[in-house]
Each structure stands twice: as structure tokens, then as C-alpha cells.
Amino acid sequence: MALEEKRPPVTPMMIEEEAALRNGSRGLPPGPWAEAAGPRPRTTERHIAVHKRLVLGFAVSILALLAVTMIAVLLSVRFEECGAAADGRPRAGGNESLSGAARQPPGAGQPPGRPEEEARGGEAAEEEEEEEEEEEEWQRRRELPPWARPRLPRHLRPLHYNLMLSAFMENFTFSGEVNVQLEVRNASRYIVLHAHRMHIEAVRVAEDKLAGGVRVARTFFYPQTQVFVVVLNRSLEVQRSYNLKIIYNALI
């Protein structure tokens, strides 16, 4: 008769240890130490999934921003085209587009003061032509005109100067008025003075104080020698005195 193997009695402690071994708690009894030493659940897959969602959301937001920007640009271009069509202006680009100057009639779109400027430009052109003719005349004489010489001509002699100046410090300009008493040594219809970067408002020539004035034909600057030339209708008489009055302004 075989002897039966004696097994130790099963106690609650043994049951707990076996359960702990099955759960991977390294045979430790249940408690705070067993929970701390036990294996924690792995969260790598969960983190990867969260990262994928974040990247996908960022990409979607960038694509949405690009789409909104493109729509805004297209709308602005369309708005400009509609405004140009409403104003009657030609659109840029295309083979049939014309410039604004080509579509506008002559004289349209010009400021109100344009005719006066054109008239002044015509007068300036006429003065330049007269200057050229006079220079050619002096060249025929084989002489330099009075305004092209390095020194002022000596056919006039200044006797007295009366100068008045007014300075304006708010815009750094000044206005002046000069009266020069001249004595004529040699007959001439030109008065040449040193002047540079000035705006001449008025020029008057009078004979003494009792006689009438001498008409001024024209005036011009000659930048090469920095002089201002007054051309008279007639020559000044010898041994007579005249009064030259010039009103001007310039920058300080």
C-alpha cells in the first residue's frame, strides 16, 4: 500500500502569494510596496497616436490658412478689376488693353493750370530762340555777348544802391527789393547783373525821376556766368542816369 504524499495545508497566505506571482508582483504581498514594484502599463502607443493627431491638426490648419490667403488675394484682384471697369479705366494686361493716355481725348485729365504752363513754356522757347539769334549776331561781330563774358560790362556804372530785405524764418525764404541808380557810359540795351538761384518777380527801368520808364522787352538768366540779363526795347542814352528796380525772392 503506497504511502500518500503529505502536502502542507493551504493557507490564505499561500493563496495570496500565488496570486501575486501570477500578477507579476514578484511574490510580494499585496500592499503599497507591491503596487510600486509592479509593472506599469505601457503608454508608447498612446503617445504616438496623440502625436499623430497633433501633426495632422497642424497640417490641416496650415492648409486652411493657405486656402484663406489665396481666396483673399483672388477677391482683392477681382475687386480692383471691378473698380477699374466701373471707372472706365483699362485693365492692366491683355492684348486689347490700352494706356490711359491713349484712350483719353487730347487735353483730358490735365490740371486746370496746364494751358498757362504751356503758354509759359512757349514764351520760354521764344526767349531761347531770341537768345540764340542774339548770340549768333554777336558771333558774327566776332565778339562775346555781354552776359557770356567773365566780367560785367562797363557800359553802365552803378552810383547808388537801395536794398530792402524781408526774411521769413518759417520756411527759410526771403524777399528783396533793390533800386540801383545807373550812369550810362556807352549806349546799350542790355543790363547785366550778378544773380544766381533767385526768382525775379518784377523788373522796371525808369529814366531819372521825372522822365517816363523804359520798356523791358524780356529778361533771362545765364547760368554759365551766373548773371541776370535785362533786355530793353531801346538803348540807354549816354551820360544819362536811370533807375533800375528789381523785386525778387529766394531761399536763405
Side-chain angles (χ1 to χ4, degrees):
M1 180 175 180
L3 296 177
E4 294 181 357
E5 182 180 359
K6 294 181 179 180
R7 296 182 179 180
V10 179
T11 61
M13 182 66 67
M14 294 176 63
I15 295 173
E16 292 179 358
E17 289 179 358
E18 186 177 357
L21 288 174
R22 291 179 181 177
N23 295 331
S25 59
R26 300 178 183 178
L28 295 177
W33 296 101
E35 293 178 358
R40 297 180 180 178
R42 297 181 179 180
T43 58
T44 305
E45 295 181 357
R46 183 182 301 175
H47 290 170
I48 292 175
V50 171
H51 291 167
K52 287 182 178 179
R53 291 178 183 177
L54 291 176
V55 172
L56 182 60
F58 183 70
V60 171
S61 62
I62 291 179
L63 292 176
L65 180 61
L66 292 176
V68 171
T69 304
M70 293 178 64
I71 293 173
V73 171
L74 293 176
L75 290 177
S76 63
V77 172
R78 185 62 180 173
F79 180 76
E80 291 180 357
E81 291 179 354
C82 293
D87 295 340
R89 294 177 299 179
R91 294 184 299 176
N95 297 328
E96 298 179 357
S97 62
L98 298 176
S99 63
R103 290 197 173 187
Q104 292 180 353
Q110 296 180 354
R114 189 62 179 272
E116 296 181 0
E117 295 178 358
E118 292 180 354
R120 292 178 183 175
E123 292 177 359
E126 292 178 359
E127 290 181 0
E128 291 180 357
E129 291 179 0
E130 293 178 0
E131 292 175 15
E132 293 177 357
E133 292 177 359
E134 291 178 355
E135 288 184 358
E136 290 178 358
E137 182 180 353
W138 284 96
Q139 289 178 0
R140 292 171 188 170
R141 299 178 185 178
R142 296 183 180 180
E143 296 180 7
L144 288 175
W147 54 86
R149 299 172 186 176
R151 292 180 177 272
L152 294 179
R154 296 184 178 182
H155 61 274
L156 297 176
R157 177 190 175 191
L159 300 178
H160 181 72
Y161 288 90
N162 185 10
L163 179 62
M164 292 179 289
L165 295 175
S166 299
F168 306 99
M169 300 308 297
E170 61 271 9
N171 57 357
F172 291 95
T173 61
F174 71 95
S175 62
E177 178 181 335
V178 59
N179 291 271
V180 186
Q181 186 179 357
L182 301 173
E183 179 186 2
V184 182
R185 293 181 173 181
N186 298 318
S188 176
R189 56 189 291 259
Y190 303 103
I191 301 177
V192 184
L193 304 170
H194 282 300
H196 186 55
R197 293 182 179 178
M198 293 184 178
H199 175 69
I200 306 300
E201 295 182 2
V203 179
R204 299 172 186 171
V205 179
E207 184 179 355
D208 295 332
K209 294 182 179 180
L210 301 178
V214 181
R215 185 177 178 183
V216 177
R218 61 188 179 89
T219 60
F220 64 91
F221 282 95
Y222 195 73
Q224 289 81 348
T225 53
Q226 296 185 358
V227 295
F228 177 69
V229 184
V230 180
V231 183
L232 305 173
N233 278 350
R234 62 180 178 87
S235 298
L236 301 177
E237 298 180 8
V238 182
Q239 296 181 356
R240 289 287 187 97
S241 61
Y242 295 84
N243 182 59
L244 172 65
K245 181 180 182 178
I246 301 177
I247 301 175
Y248 60 95
N249 59 69
L251 293 174
I252 296 178

